[in-house]
Amino acid sequence: MIPGGGQPNMQQLLQQAQKMQQDLARAQEELAQTEVDGQAGGGLVKATVTGSGELRGLVIDPKAVDPDDTETLADLVVAAVQAANENAQQLQQEKLGPLAQGLGGMPGLPY
């Protein structure tokens, strides 16, 4: 119910929900195209992921490669990818957070 006793305008609510869904889809597509970076080992290993978390690139400085210590290199790769994914999650919050909040409480809609 709306304050004052009136009924909500269902057509208007449906239009608002549809617009929010379109905005959310547009933001998700933008995230899929946006790339963010993460690094580890003082920049010896750099990872690039999309805003939606897809790993797109990995750069390893030759100084990080020690055939006798591949465990450290593996740890650096994992740390760089995790850092890039954290940056992607932050970007997701910035892009999708306000949209998702607008959808809250509307049954059947994502977020």
Side-chain angles (χ1 to χ4, degrees):
M1 293 257 281
I2 293 180
Q7 293 294 320
N9 181 332
M10 293 307 284
Q11 181 69 20
Q12 185 178 6
L13 286 175
L14 288 174
Q15 288 174 346
Q16 288 174 343
Q18 185 177 31
K19 181 183 180 318
M20 284 184 211
Q21 283 182 317
Q22 290 170 348
D23 291 346
L24 183 60
R26 203 171 8 260
Q28 288 172 328
E29 177 61 31
E30 185 179 324
L31 282 171
Q33 300 302 318
T34 303
E35 293 183 347
V36 294
D37 296 316
Q39 61 179 338
L44 291 175
V45 177
K46 297 177 185 174
T48 301
V49 299
T50 64
S52 58
E54 177 188 345
L55 181 63
R56 288 272 176 97
L58 187 63
V59 177
I60 301 172
D61 188 303
K63 292 182 250 175
V65 181
D66 179 354
D68 296 325
D69 187 14
T70 57
E71 287 181 28
T72 298
L73 178 57
D75 289 343
L76 291 174
V77 169
V78 169
V81 171
Q82 286 176 332
N85 279 326
E86 288 172 8
N87 291 337
Q89 288 174 351
Q90 182 178 351
L91 183 63
Q92 288 172 11
Q93 287 292 346
E94 291 170 9
K95 295 283 184 186
L96 300 179
L99 294 173
Q101 290 173 1
L103 294 174
M106 296 183 125
L109 296 178
Y111 300 91

